[in-house]
């Protein structure tokens, strides 16, 4: 953490105990929208700053990121078997009205 970050944490903490003007419950509620890049009401930078400043919320973001990465890795490895693939293709071609 840089000195600037330390100052930001100090001054941010004065605002009703929030980091970067965002309450922890709001940051945690927005974690999915934040990771999806779909924040509607709160600027992305504000939520990002909260997670960077807040020791309480950062582990939640970190865990959610790791969880999503694990899901993605699992999904990438998941492919249809050759048998299933040919069966699906056969059914699709049989289902065509012009064939
Ligand atoms: Zn927090």
């Amino acid at each position: 953490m840089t000195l600037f970050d330390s100052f930001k944490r100090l001054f941010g903490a004065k605002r009703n105990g929030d980091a970067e003007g965002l309450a922890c419950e709001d940051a945690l509620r927005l974690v999915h929208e934040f990771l999806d890049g779909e924040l509607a009401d709160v600027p992305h930078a504000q939520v990002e700053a909260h997670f960077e400043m807040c020791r309480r919320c950062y582990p939640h973001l970190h865990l959610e990121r790791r969880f999503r990465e694990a899901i993605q890795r699992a999904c990438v490895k998941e492919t249809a078997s050759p048998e299933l693939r040919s069966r699906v293709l056969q059914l699709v071609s049989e289902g065509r009205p012009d064939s």
Side-chain angles (χ1 to χ4, degrees):
M1 179 180 291
T2 66
L3 187 61
F4 180 63
D5 288 333
S6 301
F7 275 116
K8 279 209 296 189
R9 178 181 287 226
L10 270 173
F11 291 118
K14 281 186 175 178
R15 284 193 295 241
N16 303 322
D18 298 352
E20 292 298 307
L22 193 67
C24 290
E25 59 186 19
D26 291 328
L28 295 176
R29 182 173 52 80
L30 294 168
V31 67
H32 294 283
E33 293 168 49
F34 173 74
L35 287 170
D36 291 333
E38 294 176 350
L39 288 167
D41 303 324
V42 184
H44 186 90
Q46 189 180 3
V47 179
E48 185 175 41
H50 183 96
F51 282 115
E52 285 176 1
M53 294 293 129
C54 184
R55 274 185 285 177
R56 187 180 143 200
C57 292
Y58 180 76
H60 290 274
L61 179 69
H62 189 69
L63 183 70
E64 187 63 35
R65 274 204 176 119
R66 290 289 167 269
F67 180 70
R68 286 174 174 229
E69 286 168 8
I71 296 286
Q72 277 183 338
R73 278 198 300 273
C75 290
V76 166
K77 285 179 187 166
E78 193 73 33
T79 55
S81 67
E83 295 80 22
L84 177 61
R85 185 179 161 78
S86 65
R87 180 79 181 121
V88 169
L89 289 173
Q90 184 189 343
L91 287 171
V92 168
S93 68
E94 284 173 1
R96 283 183 186 158
D98 59 343
S99 62

